[in-house]
Amino acid sequence: MKKIIILSVILTSLFIAKAFAQASIKAEVDKTIVTSDDIITYKLIVTSSEKNIPKPQLPKFTGFKIISSAQSSTVSFTPPLRAGAGFTKGNVKTIVVYVFALVPADKGTLKIEPSSIKIKNETYSTGTLEIEVKQGEVKPKAEPEQKPPQPEET
């Protein structure tokens, strides 16, 4: 019985801590093993209880060429609830997503360095992502146009 109570307290504490987390940042790629011909999608997701989120520090994408990028954001409000004699505060949740389409410029194991963001004097960071880039199909160079042989003049 004591173990059940202790386990319940621990799980409740973890749930409450997660519910009141101020911010998070997550980086992901759609592929970790590619060829030099492939396009990789890098996505950075920032979630916060703040309405306005500052711009994150993005990686330099060393070894990759950025061919396109996009950004989207969602702000949702949870209305205040009436609890007993008073009201509970409503919640704001903001999600900003940055997406980059990347083409490998080098071969081998390439690293995408961490991204970070500072929200309310606290810095949040992602981990380093590793991408294995193998040689893609070698595109043959166009052969120079050959002129048909000309008849010799006599």
Side-chain angles (χ1 to χ4, degrees):
M1 180 70 167
K2 232 180 187 183
K3 289 180 183 179
I4 293 174
I5 293 172
I6 292 171
L7 184 60
S8 296
V9 169
I10 291 171
L11 290 175
T12 303
S13 298
L14 290 173
F15 175 74
I16 290 171
K18 182 74 172 170
F20 288 105
Q22 289 208 348
S24 68
I25 185 169
K26 178 183 177 185
E28 58 188 38
V29 289
D30 63 337
K31 304 173 218 168
T32 57
I33 300 174
V34 297
T35 68
S36 56
D37 301 328
D38 287 334
I39 296 174
I40 301 161
T41 302
Y42 172 87
K43 190 185 302 184
L44 182 68
I45 304 160
V46 181
T47 305
S48 176
S49 58
E50 295 295 311
K51 185 176 177 184
N52 296 313
I53 297 177
K55 290 194 180 254
Q57 181 68 43
L58 296 167
K60 291 185 170 84
F61 298 114
T62 304
F64 295 94
K65 201 163 98 177
I66 300 171
I67 58 172
S68 71
S69 63
Q71 174 185 336
S72 68
S73 60
T74 304
V75 179
S76 61
F77 297 95
T78 304
L81 302 174
R82 185 176 176 114
F87 287 92
T88 60
K89 184 179 174 187
N91 292 318
V92 175
K93 183 177 182 182
T94 305
I95 301 171
V96 181
V97 180
Y98 300 87
V99 180
F100 295 88
L102 308 171
V103 174
D106 295 325
K107 289 164 214 62
T109 301
L110 304 180
K111 292 183 180 184
I112 298 176
E113 297 300 323
S115 294
S116 64
I117 190 165
K118 188 172 185 176
I119 299 174
K120 282 196 166 187
N121 295 324
E122 190 160 346
T123 302
Y124 302 87
S125 298
T126 65
T128 299
L129 299 172
E130 287 191 1
I131 311 294
E132 180 67 33
V133 181
K134 300 177 181 181
Q135 178 64 49
E137 291 183 26
V138 179
K139 295 183 171 80
K141 293 182 180 179
E143 292 186 24
E145 189 176 310
Q146 294 182 356
K147 295 181 183 177
Q150 298 293 327
E152 291 182 26
E153 289 183 25
T154 53

